[in-house]
Amino acid sequence: MRSVRIGVDTGGTFTDVVAVDERTGEIVTTKTPSTPANPADGFMAGIAKLGPLDVSSIVHGTTVATNRLLEDRIGDLGLITTEGFEFILEIARQSVPDGYGNSYFWVKPPRIVPVHLVKTVGGRLDHLGGEVRPFNEEQAAEVARWFRSKGVTAIGVCFLHSYANPEHERRMREVLWREHPEAVISLSSDVLREYREYERAVTTLVDAAVKPAMRGYIANLSTRLGMPFSVMKSNGGVLSAREVVNQPITTVLSGPAAGALGAALIASTAGHPSVITLDGGGTSTDVAVVVDGEPSITTEGSIGRYPCKIPMIDIVTVGAGGGSIAWISPEGTLKVGPKSAGADPGPLCYGRGGAQVTVTDAHVLLGRIPPHLLGGEIPLDVDAARAGIEALAGKLGLSPERTATGILEISAFNQSNAIRQLTVKRGLDVRDFPLVTFGGSGPLLACRLIDILGLPAVVVPPDPGNVSAFGLLTVDVKNDYVRTYVTRDLDLAAAGEIFRELEREAAEALDREGFDDPVYARSADLRYYGQAYEVRVPAPAGELDEAWRAEVTGRFHDAHEKLYGYAYRDDPRHGIEWVNLRVSGIGPITRPVVRRRPPVADPPPPGVRRVHFEEAADTPIHQRAALGPGAVVRGPAVIEEYGSTIPVHPGFTATVDDYGNVEVRRD
């Protein structure tokens, strides 16, 4: 029996599975409908479809944490903070979304914890961690008993300046364990040992909010699998399930992060080191930028309306997937998304009781996808899609074909706006980057995105619907650690000790994961004195000396100039301030190899189907498996495979490269 490593990515509509043979490198893929009521059911069904195998390891990308936040499914949650700071969530930040022109109309959303569930405890630390007032244990016990009496079991603890000294928070946890044993607790000094009280508090509360659901899901899955497995993290690494239940916030971009990494490896192998990645699923579209083979990392991300300052791959998500619902606004205009029909009931053409037109229904009516999915496993009801679109078209005063085309056009512009957020708004020229598009619905709008954005090409990997699951098998075990150390005159000895302490923490975690020879990556956050936010730059390994300081500050000047167009490299009036020191502990794995494809001898002639582009016409339908390296398909045409479809519009050409990728370009 073959020994394989398996990646399982649970999406909103489908669960994708990839198995890699550890001896031969052979890759096997499959898909199965997701089961939103219990994602573990879809997980187990996907693995069962692979048949009997000797499984050496499993890596999972999960949306359990993400969906709870996006859908605001947060139960009673409590916050314990320093006496006098009970309104930290109410004050928040002064910024208003979309600028001050929106301040008159903007309504402040509900806080993650209402003020009546915020309690304070006496005790105070200064910004260096020194104790100003002792921790009030009697008051802490009263607070713990109050939360127990109210039945609040998920609790975040965020004391002032606990990034500098976690002692008071740890004592609060001991009191909670004693007085409220059922409580699920998150400490800010464990979740995010970094200054800025508001962001640290919200990040800690997000961790506490998703912890019960993640623990239940992981426990259920562990019992059903009967073997250990790992979970993808937002930072581009993985962690064992037994460890990730203690830091569930690190999984909030689990699936999208895997997709960006898998696409980066595929694209760089094919000679495209810098690309934009677009993961089009049933519910959403996730976009990232890869420069020189590495996706951009940020700590300024958010999930829904909640800022999360953990390191994560810089991803923009929009509600523009295959299941996105088309609807008419009160003003009478056609809109698409962000609400999705998901996997259950799904689009009209699924025949499962869906009552609203979706993007997939528009593709079906225009003939751009076949009347079935997954090679015939899921038949599609073309008549149901047509009936729904005809009803919508009647309200708009358009033909069904014009309405379906309009739905796809709006969806394409929604996706292009997400791409612009990560490129144009950050000083990158979108025309310099090929687009790697994947996911079940990702390749469907490739030609329109080329025209809208002026892209040089769109690259569609083999088995595009399974790229995220493949990406799960390409990533190392990775943990991030941070310590705030604000100073204009860096004490090299003190900084060196902080780095060593963070590396010891990383070593302990990686030792539990079974890594004897970990790799450490250092970085530092710096800013010019007087600035409010900082720039992160990599820091060399080894002992800290003046040459080390000069190297890091030089990298900061370079990065600042690249980001903002200026630097004060030779101006002594603008001193540098050090803010955070960071360490990533990495346990390297053996990555699967992307292999060249053999030539295809005597491919069968394409089929024919009625497809509507500018007009309806009999159109060649190519099977992707029959297209070997060097094959050329000129539009209008459609290229189909098990998990996805590529419509090639008139005026476009699709070429297959040596690795089986399809490159679509304007003629």
Side-chain angles (χ1 to χ4, degrees):
M1 191 179 293
R2 294 182 299 172
S3 177
V4 299
R5 296 174 59 226
I6 294 177
V8 183
D9 177 47
T10 300
T13 305
F14 287 103
T15 295
D16 306 324
V17 185
V18 171
V20 176
D21 190 305
E22 293 192 299
R23 184 176 60 83
T24 65
E26 179 190 356
I27 296 175
V28 179
T29 66
T30 191
K31 297 168 77 78
T32 189
S34 292
T35 50
N38 185 357
D41 292 341
F43 181 105
M44 298 304 297
I47 291 181
K49 285 183 73 174
L50 293 174
L53 294 167
D54 177 15
V55 180
S56 63
S57 65
I58 296 176
V59 185
H60 183 28
T62 174
T63 56
V64 169
T66 318
N67 290 345
R68 292 193 76 84
L69 300 175
L70 292 177
E71 298 167 18
D72 261 345
R73 290 188 289 116
I74 294 176
D76 282 344
L77 184 63
L79 170 63
I80 302 173
T81 190
T82 302
E83 193 172 47
F85 287 81
E86 60 267 36
F87 297 112
I88 185 171
L89 300 179
E90 304 298 317
I91 296 169
R93 293 293 176 194
Q94 67 176 6
S95 58
V96 171
D98 301 321
Y100 288 101
N102 189 40
S103 60
Y104 181 79
F105 304 96
W106 181 67
V107 177
K108 196 172 188 177
R111 266 57 78 207
I112 188 170
V113 174
V115 71
H116 71 276
L117 292 179
V118 178
K119 292 295 177 183
T120 63
V121 172
R124 185 69 179 269
L125 303 170
D126 64 21
H127 69 288
L128 298 176
E131 190 172 79
V132 177
R133 290 197 298 273
F135 177 72
N136 190 327
E137 190 143 347
E138 183 178 338
Q139 195 175 356
E142 290 175 6
V143 166
R145 288 193 288 267
W146 186 88
F147 277 120
R148 186 183 65 193
S149 70
K150 298 296 181 183
V152 177
T153 56
I155 298 171
V157 181
C158 183
F159 289 152
L160 197 66
H161 302 308
S162 58
Y163 59 85
N165 181 354
E167 181 60 28
H168 284 191
E169 287 193 351
R170 291 172 181 171
R171 288 179 63 185
M172 185 69 236
R173 179 170 57 190
E174 291 171 1
V175 172
L176 284 165
W177 281 342
R178 185 179 70 239
E179 302 290 343
H180 189 7
E182 298 83 17
V184 175
I185 308 159
S186 292
L187 303 185
S188 75
S189 52
D190 289 342
V191 175
L192 183 71
R193 199 163 168 183
E194 185 177 331
Y195 92 135
R196 293 197 175 99
E197 249 58 38
Y198 171 67
E199 287 80 5
R200 184 156 52 89
V202 174
T203 304
T204 303
L205 289 166
V206 167
D207 186 74
V210 300
K211 195 172 277 185
M214 276 296 288
R215 284 185 171 176
Y217 174 65
I218 294 295
N220 179 17
L221 205 50
S222 297
T223 301
R224 295 176 67 172
L225 269 178
M227 66 173 290
F229 65 99
S230 300
V231 178
M232 182 75 197
K233 297 170 64 179
S234 309
N235 66 353
V238 296
L239 194 62
S240 68
R242 67 176 181 275
E243 293 283 337
V244 89
V245 293
N246 299 316
Q247 40 182 298
I249 191 174
T250 61
T251 70
V252 290
L253 284 179
S254 183
L261 289 160
L265 176 61
I266 292 167
S268 59
T269 303
H272 305 290
S274 298
V275 295
I276 301 163
T277 69
L278 184 147
D279 182 359
T283 305
S284 63
T285 293
D286 306 303
V287 178
V289 174
V290 176
V291 178
D292 295 331
E294 293 291 334
S296 302
I297 301 289
T298 182
T299 55
E300 303 298 328
S302 61
I303 305 299
R305 58 188 178 89
Y306 306 113
C308 295
K309 276 186 67 65
I310 59 166
M312 59 177 72
I313 290 178
D314 197 0
I315 292 171
V316 169
T317 299
V318 292
S324 294
I325 292 169
W327 52 285
I328 299 175
S329 73
E331 297 79 26
T333 57
L334 180 63
K335 305 280 187 181
V336 179
K339 190 177 179 182
S340 173
D344 188 12
L348 291 171
C349 59
Y350 277 22
R352 296 179 184 166
Q356 294 172 293
V357 174
T358 68
V359 171
T360 298
D361 295 314
H363 283 295
V364 168
L365 181 137
L366 296 174
R368 297 185 189 178
I369 60 177
H372 56 75
L373 297 178
L374 306 189
E377 291 180 29
I378 301 178
L380 300 180
D381 188 339
V382 179
D383 292 336
R386 174 169 287 279
I389 292 177
E390 284 177 348
L392 188 67
K395 297 176 184 177
L396 294 167
L398 299 172
S399 70
E401 288 75 18
R402 285 278 292 163
T403 301
T405 302
I407 291 169
L408 301 186
E409 193 73 358
I410 293 168
S411 186
F413 271 90
N414 288 342
Q415 292 185 354
S416 67
N417 288 337
I419 293 170
R420 287 190 179 105
Q421 284 185 53
L422 277 179
T423 52
V424 177
K425 285 190 174 182
R426 305 191 184 183
L428 300 173
D429 191 336
V430 68
R431 296 169 297 183
D432 294 337
F433 294 83
L435 176 70
V436 180
T437 183
F438 54 96
S441 69
L444 289 168
L445 298 171
C447 294
R448 289 301 300 130
L449 291 174
I450 289 175
D451 278 348
I452 293 169
L453 295 167
L455 298 165
V458 168
V459 179
V460 184
D463 298 311
N466 294 81
V467 168
S468 290
F470 170 76
L472 293 167
L473 303 176
T474 70
V475 297
D476 301 317
V477 173
K478 186 178 181 183
N479 265 328
D480 296 304
Y481 302 88
V482 60
R483 191 70 46 81
T484 292
Y485 182 47
V486 182
T487 178
R488 279 186 282 168
D489 183 18
L490 185 73
D491 183 324
L492 293 173
E497 182 53 39
I498 290 173
F499 275 128
R500 285 189 290 274
E501 185 177 332
L502 296 177
E503 286 168 359
R504 282 195 294 271
E505 290 183 46
E508 290 171 3
L510 289 169
D511 183 60
R512 292 194 296 270
E513 298 287 300
F515 289 93
D516 300 323
D517 192 19
V519 176
Y520 304 112
R522 294 176 176 178
S523 58
D525 299 348
L526 296 85
R527 63 190 178 194
Y528 292 118
Y529 181 65
Q531 288 182 328
Y533 288 89
E534 49 279 349
V535 175
R536 180 173 312 158
V537 293
E543 290 301 313
L544 276 58
D545 54 21
E546 290 304 324
W548 183 92
R549 187 202 307 266
E551 176 69 20
V552 176
T553 55
R555 291 177 181 180
F556 165 68
H557 290 307
D558 293 342
H560 196 281
E561 188 165 25
K562 184 176 180 180
L563 280 169
Y564 303 113
Y566 71 94
Y568 296 119
R569 192 175 282 100
D570 302 313
D571 190 341
R573 295 174 300 172
H574 297 278
I576 289 176
E577 189 167 46
W578 300 72
V579 180
N580 298 309
L581 303 179
R582 300 177 183 272
V583 167
S584 294
I586 301 167
I589 64 155
T590 302
R591 289 174 172 77
V593 177
V594 179
R595 301 177 184 275
R596 294 180 184 271
R597 296 296 175 105
V600 175
D602 301 322
V608 176
R609 185 171 67 238
R610 196 86 174 157
V611 180
H612 189 285
F613 287 110
E614 281 105 1
E615 58 185 20
D618 289 340
T619 303
I621 308 298
H622 298 265
Q623 297 305 310
R624 186 165 180 177
L627 300 175
V632 177
V633 174
R634 302 191 186 281
V638 176
I639 301 173
E640 295 179 357
E641 59 184 304
Y642 173 76
S644 192
T645 302
I646 310 170
V648 184
H649 290 228
F652 289 82
T653 299
T655 307
V656 182
D657 71 11
D658 290 346
Y659 297 92
N661 303 299
V662 173
E663 293 192 12
V664 182
R665 300 178 186 271
R666 249 291 174 197
D667 286 345

